[in-house]
Amino acid sequence: MLRIGLTGGIGAGKSTVAATFAECGGIVVDGDVIAREVVEPGTEGLAGLVTAFGPGILLPDGALDRPALAAIAFSDDDKRATLNGIVHPLVARRRQELIDAAGADAIVVEDIPLLVESQMAPLFPLVVVVHADEEVRVARLTGSRGMPEADARARIAAQATEEQRRVVADVWLENHGTADDLAAQARELWQRRIAPFAANIEAGRAVPFPTETVPADPTWADQAQRIVARLRTVCGHRALRVEHIGPTVFSGDPGFTAPDVIDVEVTVPSPAVADELTEPLLAAGYPSVDGNRMYGSADPGRPTRVHVQVAAGP
């Protein structure tokens, strides 16, 4: 199974990308849909919201009055935190149920509006961010959705910034054209990167490591930061340390050249712990390449070597 994290600000076009991925064969687990399901009448989610915010957030038929809740929750950081504390655990539980029901060879696209805010990016072998400038998004929200401009700007301001999203993005999709233009970008991404990535994981196959040197890429450090965060999440307490090593560490040096492959070293306390990491690393997109503690990325868009080292004894 390959899990893709998909996110983007409100009005950026994330739904178009999710729909395109579904057409390509992905199983889309939509955070917005789940968030609505867990607060339907009769659910523990809706009961929790009424306890926290009062019966004024209900419609006459007992359903959630979403604009009324939004007017309360998005006006205050503490109230928004209360809302998230009620809804997020329920959404996470339902999301896991849907993922568990997918086949072992599935490509699961987890459409999560607050992926950045909830610090979930390291859970995914690949994170796709859909972006549009704020004024474009405001125009879409006030036009197609009929949202008051003040509400649209408040919603945008309550979400992660562009800079915060760039930190976690393995793929950045700009959406300033038509929906068809964005769908074409998503389809090409699926065919050139996502589908081959999933096939490589299924086969336990890493992409070839490049040997030809190229000019230093100033984004190497940022790419390595995402990979290190991912590997720390995968290895958890079993790793003594996870660090970016190799030539790409020196990407800031002018005139420097190196092969375009990120090297990361994972240090563990014993050979037994090193062996325990084989399956988790494969699930995260890093199959073994030599049967002896060297792993490589299955992602054709980001060649990576992961060196698992056993710490020297005292």
Side-chain angles (χ1 to χ4, degrees):
M1 177 183 291
L2 174 61
R3 293 174 61 193
I4 304 296
L6 173 64
T7 194
I10 184 171
K14 178 170 54 63
S15 296
T16 296
V17 174
T20 304
F21 285 168
E23 291 172 2
C24 292
I27 296 176
V28 176
V29 179
D30 190 325
D32 281 338
V33 171
I34 297 173
R36 289 192 290 271
E37 290 179 353
V38 300
V39 293
E40 289 178 347
T43 62
E44 63 176 297
L46 184 57
L49 293 177
V50 171
T51 298
F53 299 107
I57 63 169
L58 295 178
L59 294 168
D61 63 359
L64 179 63
D65 185 339
R66 294 181 180 279
L69 175 62
I72 298 171
F74 288 98
S75 65
D76 180 278
D77 288 343
D78 290 338
K79 291 176 181 177
R80 185 166 65 251
T82 299
L83 168 66
N84 292 339
I86 295 168
V87 175
H88 285 183
L90 299 172
V91 170
R93 186 172 70 193
R94 178 57 179 156
R95 178 185 297 115
Q96 192 59 52
E97 291 172 354
L98 294 172
I99 293 167
D100 291 343
D105 60 348
I107 301 177
V108 177
V109 179
E110 298 189 47
D111 181 339
I112 306 175
L114 300 180
L115 181 146
V116 177
E117 294 86 337
S118 55
Q119 300 181 335
M120 295 177 65
L123 298 175
F124 299 97
L126 191 73
V127 172
V128 178
V129 175
V130 187
H131 173 72
D133 291 339
E134 180 173 336
E135 295 307 316
V136 173
R137 294 160 62 194
V138 169
R140 290 172 180 161
L141 294 171
T142 57
S144 61
R145 300 195 194 180
M147 187 180 295
E149 181 176 342
D151 287 354
R153 294 192 184 277
R155 294 289 189 95
I156 291 171
Q159 294 185 332
T161 64
E162 176 182 342
E163 291 72 21
Q164 289 170 324
R165 291 193 178 98
R166 285 191 182 276
V167 168
V168 306
D170 298 299
V171 178
W172 188 265
L173 296 179
E174 288 284 356
N175 178 23
H176 295 104
T178 67
D180 287 344
D181 292 336
L182 181 60
Q185 287 187 68
R187 195 170 296 109
E188 180 179 13
L189 172 63
W190 185 276
Q191 294 167 351
R192 293 196 176 189
R193 185 168 182 176
I194 294 176
F197 192 172
N200 287 339
I201 291 177
E202 181 72 14
R205 177 178 57 233
V207 298
F209 301 137
T211 57
E212 182 178 350
T213 62
V214 297
D217 183 342
T219 70
W220 276 340
D222 294 334
Q223 294 176 44
Q225 180 180 350
R226 290 192 291 274
I227 294 166
V228 166
R230 191 168 287 140
L231 290 170
R232 283 178 177 154
T233 299
V234 170
C235 298
H237 67 277
R238 291 171 291 198
L240 298 176
R241 61 181 177 271
V242 182
E243 56 188 338
H244 180 201
I245 64 171
T248 53
V249 170
F250 305 100
S251 60
D253 291 359
F256 180 76
T257 63
D260 186 18
V261 54
I262 304 292
D263 287 276
V264 178
E265 185 174 83
V266 177
T267 304
V268 298
S270 70
V273 172
D275 292 341
E276 289 176 7
L277 292 178
T278 299
E279 288 302 318
L281 285 171
L282 176 60
Y286 300 96
S288 173
V289 297
D290 64 359
N292 191 29
R293 301 177 190 154
M294 173 73 79
Y295 299 82
S297 175
D299 177 4
R302 179 61 274 163
T304 304
R305 278 188 294 246
V306 180
H307 312 251
V308 177
Q309 302 287 338
V310 176

